Amino acid sequence: MSRTPETRVSTSPSPRSTGDIAPSTGNQPPAIPRVLSIAGTDPSGGAGIQADLKSIAAHGGYGMAVVTALVAQNTHGVRAVHTPPPEFLAEQLDAVSDDVQIDAVKIGMLACAENVDVVDAWLERTPVPAVVVDPVMVATSGDRLLDRSAEEALARMLRHADLVTPNVPELAMLAGEPVVRAWPEVLAQAARVAERFDTLVLAKGGHAGGDAVRDALVSASGVIAEFTTARIHTTNTHGTGCSLSSAIATLFAQTGEWASSLERAKSWLADSIRHGSRLNVGSGNGPVDHFAALWRRAAAPLTPPQIAEKWWSGIADVRGAIDDLRFITGLTDGTLEGDAFRHYLVQDTLYLRDYSRMLAAASTLAPTVDEQQFWASGALNALAGETAVHAHFLGDLSVVDTAAKAAATVAYTDHLAATAARDSYAVLIAALLPCYWIYVDVGTRMLPAAAPDTPYLPWLRTYEDPAFADASTRAIEIVTRCAAEADAATRERMWRAFRISAEQELRFFAEPLEVVAVR
């Protein structure tokens, strides 16, 4: 369903029914509007309050619900209605409004005159920026859903309405006229209703045949905006009226514009109707799929850059904790105790020996020659290049041969070894990635901040090696592409392995000062 160029705008709407106005509070529209539905229930979930809450949520609102009637219905129709005492309806309304600021109200089924009077009195004493009324008066079958006294009470209550969304028979009842079917007559009748109740009216043209459906926002002065859309041939139309009116209420609370809210709500509803059949709910007129667009986005494959951003932000707490470690700040300003740095070098050398084995394992499992070569090269560099740097500071690597692994080293290498032994190539390389990514990130930020006289400057300068940065970038590309191509379960295991390794990096950096402190 898409809007056609046929959109007409009236230049002189009535004062109350102007097409594009800000909410009456005069405040900035809320980012998350609090929208109250006052309506009956639908235990099958497609209409009534259940549909309202789904529509509100689908448009980014916080939905609240006050129940007017308990309705036994399904996709075939209504079987019975139980109406709680009006006093209880009043209690529900006051309980919400006494505590929560309400940005919009959608009113649906009220069931009886007593309920209408309760809602009327509540609206009289409760300022609400926007009130949308879906006057549940006549069923699609033509059956009257309100008695004469309730219809009269509803007519009185409409003085509080900003927008009324009747079907064609309900429009005629509000006008006190016979039902009309021709579209020009529907528009004229809607204008008379708008004038009578000083409100906007949504005139609906879905009753007419043909492949096009017309809907219009009408004031006493005439049509404000008219939309012509393609008809969707489906039986999944249960609850469309409820869903549309609550969607408009939510969008208006965000934008303060009726015409644009209607246009967006109609586009959303068309998409929801189009995908309703996949829900496979009921054997009658099924519900619409309120969250079709949301579920599509959730199911859409993530791109490698999106995964990289998600994972990196997902360890922001770990990275922040690493930055705050005295080991890191001490390396930068030169205040780190020599014993702590020596402990770190020994343990890092022990770690790199096992890390090299895990890189070699990744090379063995890699599905392409390019990836085999990359991980194999990483394994060689871990032993040769990195070990040479350690030897520069330790003087003699024989001390490493007689040293025992500290707790952090054991935990980290055990995690990598267990991942290699029990899980897939994809999960293993995700576990290997933080050693590349975090080291480059930390090192490249430490070096510019380093004190000129820090004894650890030669160590920090190792991070200037372009090959080191290039290897990190390539590792990120390989892992995130693999994650993008993986199924959801594998991708989740990859993320968990990545996160655990990041936490192990934090522990590895923190341990040297902890060990020295207890000596």
Side-chain angles (χ1 to χ4, degrees), residues 126-186:
T126 308
V128 177
V131 177
V132 176
V133 178
D134 183 21
V136 183
M137 305 168 72
V138 184
T140 304
S141 62
D143 295 332
R144 296 173 75 98
L145 302 176
L146 293 178
D147 60 26
R148 181 65 63 184
S149 63
E151 292 173 2
E152 293 172 354
L154 181 63
R156 293 192 299 272
M157 190 199 73
L158 289 184
R159 71 186 186 279
H160 298 293
D162 297 291
L163 174 68
V164 184
T165 63
N167 59 28
V168 167
E170 290 164 346
L171 179 65
M173 292 182 67
L174 292 174
E177 302 171 358
V179 174
V180 295
R181 297 292 179 181
W183 183 238
E185 294 177 352
V186 170

Side-chain angles (χ1 to χ4, degrees), residues 443-495:
T444 53
R445 287 186 293 105
M446 282 195 300
L447 184 59
D453 58 347
T454 175
Y456 307 114
L457 192 58
W459 171 267
L460 298 178
R461 281 181 173 155
T462 62
Y463 294 98
E464 288 184 306
D465 184 0
F468 191 32
D470 290 346
S472 177
T473 299
R474 180 62 179 141
I476 294 168
E477 291 172 352
I478 292 173
V479 174
T480 56
R481 178 182 49 75
C482 191
E485 295 172 355
D487 58 76
T490 300
R491 187 161 53 247
E492 178 61 25
R493 294 200 312 277
M494 292 177 71
W495 155 249

Side-chain angles (χ1 to χ4, degrees), residues 121-356:
W122 178 78
L123 288 171
E124 187 68 32
R125 65 179 183 271
T126 308
V128 177
V131 177
V132 176
V133 178
D134 183 21
V136 183
M137 305 168 72
V138 184
T140 304
S141 62
D143 295 332
R144 296 173 75 98
L145 302 176
L146 293 178
D147 60 26
R148 181 65 63 184
S149 63
E151 292 173 2
E152 293 172 354
L154 181 63
R156 293 192 299 272
M157 190 199 73
L158 289 184
R159 71 186 186 279
H160 298 293
D162 297 291
L163 174 68
V164 184
T165 63
N167 59 28
V168 167
E170 290 164 346
L171 179 65
M173 292 182 67
L174 292 174
E177 302 171 358
V179 174
V180 295
R181 297 292 179 181
W183 183 238
E185 294 177 352
V186 170
L187 293 177
Q189 195 170 69
R192 291 191 290 274
V193 170
E195 182 177 18
R196 177 183 178 184
F197 297 105
D198 189 22
T199 186
L200 287 174
V201 174
L202 173 59
K204 302 175 183 178
H207 63 279
D211 293 329
V213 176
R214 289 181 172 181
D215 295 280
L217 189 65
V218 182
S219 73
S221 301
V223 175
I224 293 174
E226 183 174 324
F227 306 98
T228 303
T229 54
R231 184 180 299 277
I232 301 169
H233 298 280
T234 179
T235 58
N236 283 85
T237 56
H238 182 52
T240 51
C242 307
S243 302
L244 179 62
S245 55
S246 52
I248 295 171
T250 307
L251 289 167
F252 179 79
Q254 294 171 315
T255 66
E257 298 179 350
W258 288 115
S260 64
S261 296
L262 170 59
E263 182 177 18
R264 288 173 58 188
K266 280 180 56 60
S267 177
W268 162 81
L269 183 60
D271 185 61
S272 300
I273 292 171
R274 192 176 294 111
H275 292 90
S277 59
R278 74 174 185 175
L279 296 175
N280 195 27
V281 173
S283 55
N285 289 321
V288 305
D289 186 351
H290 296 82
F291 300 112
L294 177 65
W295 292 344
R296 258 198 323 276
R297 288 195 298 271
L302 293 172
T303 64
Q306 288 172 329
I307 291 173
E309 181 180 358
K310 182 178 180 181
W311 285 14
W312 191 241
S313 63
I315 60 168
D317 58 327
V318 176
R319 294 187 287 111
I322 290 174
D323 287 347
D324 292 339
L325 289 174
R326 195 166 69 82
F327 178 82
I328 298 298
T329 59
L331 276 173
T332 305
D333 62 20
T335 61
L336 179 67
E337 294 90 332
D339 287 348
F341 185 56
R342 184 175 180 82
H343 172 87
Y344 168 78
L345 291 175
V346 170
Q347 293 302 314
D348 198 38
T349 305
L350 292 171
Y351 164 80
L352 286 172
R353 290 177 179 179
D354 282 350
Y355 186 67
S356 175

Side-chain angles (χ1 to χ4, degrees), residues 400-412:
V400 178
D401 298 331
T402 58
K405 289 182 182 178
T409 309
V410 171
Y412 200 168

